[in-house]
Amino acid sequence: MTDVEMNRLRWRCRRGRLENELVLERFLDAYGAQLEGERLAALKALLDYNDDDLWSLVSGRRECGDPALGEVVQLLRRC
Amino acid sequence: MALAKRSFDAVVVGAGGAGLRAALQLSESGLSVAVLSKVFPTRSHTVAAQGGIGAALGNMDEDSWLWHMYDTVKGSDWLGDQDAIEFMCREAPKLVYELEHFGMPFDRNENGTVYQRPFGGHSQNFGERPVQRSCCAADRTGHAMLHTLYQRNVRAHTQFFVEWMALDLVRDSSGQVLGVTALEMETGEVMILNARATLFATGGAGRIFWSTTNAFICTGDGLGMAARAGIPLEDMEFWQFHPTGVAGAGVLITEGVRGEGGYLLNKNGERFMERYAPNLKDLASRDIVSRAMATEIKEGRGAGPHGDYLLLKLDHLGPEVIDKRLPGIREISKKFANIDPVKDPIPVVPTVHYMMGGIPANYLGEVVVPQGGNPEAVVPGFYAAGECACASVHGANRLGTNSLTDLLVFGKAAAESMIKFLKENPGRKDLPKDAAERTLSRLARLDNQKNGESVAEVATEMRRTMQSHCGVFRFPDTLAEGVKKIRGIADRASRTQIKDKSRVFNTARLEALELDNLVEVARASMVSAEARKESRGAHDRSDQYKDGDRLEYKPVHMKPLTARTIEPKVRTY
């Protein structure tokens, strides 16, 4: 990932809800450097979720119906 | 250097609740409207508001806008303007019904009316007993409101500039506001957005503190721009500490928890709020509860290994009530406190939550400044609404639920004022030749800075200083020292340096520009806190407990629009 792509990704981890931001910040610190391919695509897809739905997935209140996103959702839950 | 320019009837900076409510009014009246937002509109911080909208609908018990007004004036510790408060409380029910007609999914009573929950500081018959006044959509009222308003704006063809950051206000020699300069993140291009009327709805600035419930975007951009353009900020010493932020994380536990029957305990298992507010107990106003908590901690009755937090108990409500009425709370507690509130109490501390001060405005949303002998001269073409504005309805302390009420009522009122102004002032004034000079010199300074300061280090120092010198309890010596420190930090912020000078999505530059705004807010807050030598509402000084030398930015409006003045008295709950 180029620096510009990483910057864009970090900015889109700015959310309306602090809960999501804290989890996404932990995620990027842990996995950001190696993000590519399907995992990167899954994160980008999740960032398009609204804050409430994203938090529902991250907090485990709702299960993710899309198998392509499942792995990143699990990682976010552990962050 | 000549910058590209785009022209609109109205420019709205910020796409939270206030900005979207205003933009909707403006677009529906047929004006060309540009809304700038650092993030996608529905990711604005309004989305985090959980509790509800305060409005005297009277769906649960008998209620009246006059009682809502009394509670707001009392909550403000008589520092709120009574004309603006009357206006807000009278308008609130209409704005809620409007939202209902827009399709907002409110919770319902069995008879189909909007469900209203109890909330701290709201009472029936002038403080007699608690009343259920908060119109809510489970614990996602802000989310539901923001999405409803966004959809309505799409329908009204509002033009959104997403991932744009406004940088400075454009004023001409007469002081009239003619738009803003702004940076498009994707290209790095700076542009003038010329407007015949400009509204700031940029939200709060809780990120000046170390521990806050605010999202990362809450950097006080509107306040920084206003201050740099010579508009003094008002009531900046008043910061609301929410009683129940999760200890160590800052994440908010809504007051709705206490509304539904949860209560606070100290380390001895004592329900201590009974001592501080015998009547309303845990539902007393936020400043009263925060101060009580700080007192418990200070006097050694805090819980936990370091005695630095208190316990919010709700297991007695049972999993059914918790899951139905407060579903998000369980997940937040598990994630950030490692406990399940169905079994164990949540560790909580008072956490910075809301800025009562801001850009001085009247109840019409017009920005006002002292000029000649007039303390409230209107700045032509400039409006402010929501948390960035000081209308002032919150005075020294805001009541829970009144933030959403404020942004709806004053977002719409400001838009109505803009529409009137545009009708009365047709045509477009020429931009001054130096319209973008301040912005261009700031950007040039940042790009050319040598041997400068790190943005992250200055920001950290600012947050630590605000936290330790300007917290729940304030002391004259630490405030005086805080003023010196924050001035030094502001000086360092004027010499920040960035390594990355690229144009496209340069977040280092954005964060440096945000720091310029944060520092303006931090300095104003610390200086005002030191200068106000009395304890009032959220501003609690150890040296003055009764009216001392009152700091008056502008005279408090004690005369309501139609009601009788609510005379000051000692606040008890």
Side-chain angles (χ1 to χ4, degrees), chain A residues 8 12 14 16 21 77, chain B residues 45 163 186 216 335 514:
Chain A
R8 204 181 277 121
R12 286 175 191 164
R14 286 195 175 205
E21 293 183 312
R77 284 181 186 175
Chain B
H45 190 49
E163 294 180 343
E186 190 56 51
F216 295 172
K335 190 96 188 156
E514 284 182 330

Side-chain angles (χ1 to χ4, degrees), chain B residues 316 421 479 542 561:
Chain B
H316 57 285
F421 176 80
L479 283 169
S542 65
L561 296 171

Side-chain angles (χ1 to χ4, degrees), chain A residues 4 7-8 11-12 14-16 18-19 21-23 26 47 50-52 55 59 61 76-77 79, chain B residues 38 43-45 47 140 143 163 185-186 212 215-216 251 327-328 331-332 335-336 505 507 514:
Chain A
V4 169
N7 282 349
R8 204 181 277 121
W11 192 263
R12 286 175 191 164
R14 286 195 175 205
R15 316 295 301 189
L18 179 63
E19 297 90 317
E21 293 183 312
L22 293 174
V23 171
R26 293 175 194 170
L47 291 179
N50 71 51
D51 262 286
D52 223 49
W55 176 246
S59 62
R61 188 163 152 190
L76 285 168
R77 284 181 186 175
C79 283
Chain B
K38 291 197 290 188
R43 287 176 209 155
S44 304
H45 190 49
V47 86
R140 39 193 285 174
H143 169 91
E163 294 180 343
M185 297 179 193
E186 190 56 51
T212 174
F216 295 172
V251 175
E331 285 81 22
I332 285 171
K335 190 96 188 156
F336 299 105
F505 238 104
T507 45
E514 284 182 330

Side-chain angles (χ1 to χ4, degrees), chain B residues 394-429:
Chain B
H394 310 305
N397 171 60
R398 176 179 68 83
L399 277 196
T401 77
N402 270 353
S403 60
L404 295 184
T405 314
D406 168 351
L407 59 82
L408 280 175
V409 170
F410 294 106
K412 184 177 178 186
E416 296 283 15
S417 300
M418 292 165 82
I419 292 166
K420 183 164 173 275
F421 176 80
L422 292 174
K423 267 191 198 141
E424 289 168 357
N425 297 277
R428 188 177 291 277
K429 285 181 86 174

Side-chain angles (χ1 to χ4, degrees), chain B residues 138-357:
Chain B
D139 61 346
R140 39 193 285 174
T141 311
H143 169 91
M145 178 197 279
L146 205 57
H147 281 259
T148 303
L149 288 174
Y150 177 66
Q151 296 297 337
R152 293 293 288 200
N153 270 283
V154 172
R155 178 178 179 265
H157 305 294
T158 300
Q159 195 173 341
F160 286 100
F161 288 69
V162 177
E163 294 180 343
W164 282 61
M165 181 178 175
L167 300 181
D168 280 295
L169 207 51
V170 176
R171 295 182 86 180
D172 68 10
S173 56
S174 75
Q176 182 162 342
V177 169
L178 302 173
V180 291
T181 54
L183 173 76
E184 182 183 21
M185 297 179 193
E186 190 56 51
T187 60
E189 192 181 349
V190 178
M191 205 180 272
I192 295 176
L193 296 180
N194 179 208
R196 294 169 57 220
T198 304
L199 170 70
F200 275 8
T202 54
R207 302 306 301 182
I208 66 169
F209 286 90
W210 188 260
S211 176
T212 174
T213 65
N214 284 191
F216 295 172
I217 45 177
C218 301
T219 54
D221 299 338
L223 283 79
M225 287 187 275
R228 281 194 298 276
I231 292 166
L233 306 176
E234 177 184 0
D235 289 348
M236 293 306 295
E237 60 275 36
F238 299 110
W239 283 89
Q240 182 166 77
F241 289 77
H242 194 290
T244 53
V246 174
V251 175
L252 176 76
I253 301 290
T254 174
E255 207 154 13
V257 168
R258 283 170 288 138
E260 298 290 349
Y263 53 84
L264 291 158
L265 299 175
N266 61 21
K267 73 170 182 188
N268 303 323
E270 182 203 2
R271 188 175 177 183
F272 58 88
M273 280 313 300
E274 289 178 338
R275 274 190 278 120
Y276 296 89
N279 216 7
L280 291 181
K281 297 174 188 161
D282 299 81
L283 288 176
S285 185
R286 284 179 178 165
D287 60 327
I288 306 268
V289 180
S290 287
R291 198 172 311 147
M293 293 170 74
T295 304
E296 289 296 298
I297 292 170
K298 201 172 63 172
E299 293 180 357
R301 293 186 292 276
H306 306 290
D308 55 358
Y309 57 76
L310 292 146
L311 299 165
L312 179 60
K313 173 180 158 64
L314 58 156
D315 60 312
H316 57 285
L317 301 178
E320 295 79 21
V321 171
I322 293 173
D323 287 341
K324 185 172 175 223
R325 292 265 184 240
L326 307 159
I329 298 313
R330 243 179 125 169
E331 285 81 22
I332 285 171
S333 307
K334 286 181 193 166
K335 190 96 188 156
F336 299 105
N338 289 319
I339 61 104
D340 184 348
V342 166
K343 297 181 211 139
D344 300 302
I346 312 170
V348 290
V349 283
T351 303
V352 164
H353 183 53
Y354 190 86
M355 175 181 78
M356 267 75 72

Side-chain angles (χ1 to χ4, degrees), chain A residues 1 4-5 8 12-13 16-17 21 28 33 39 42-43 45 51 53-55 57-58 69 75-76:
Chain A
M1 197 172 3
V4 169
E5 282 172 319
R8 204 181 277 121
R12 286 175 191 164
C13 290
R17 288 182 68 151
E21 293 183 312
L28 283 187
R39 203 180 260 191
L43 179 66
D51 262 286
D53 289 344
L54 180 60
W55 176 246
L57 288 178
V58 169
L69 309 182
L75 292 174
L76 285 168

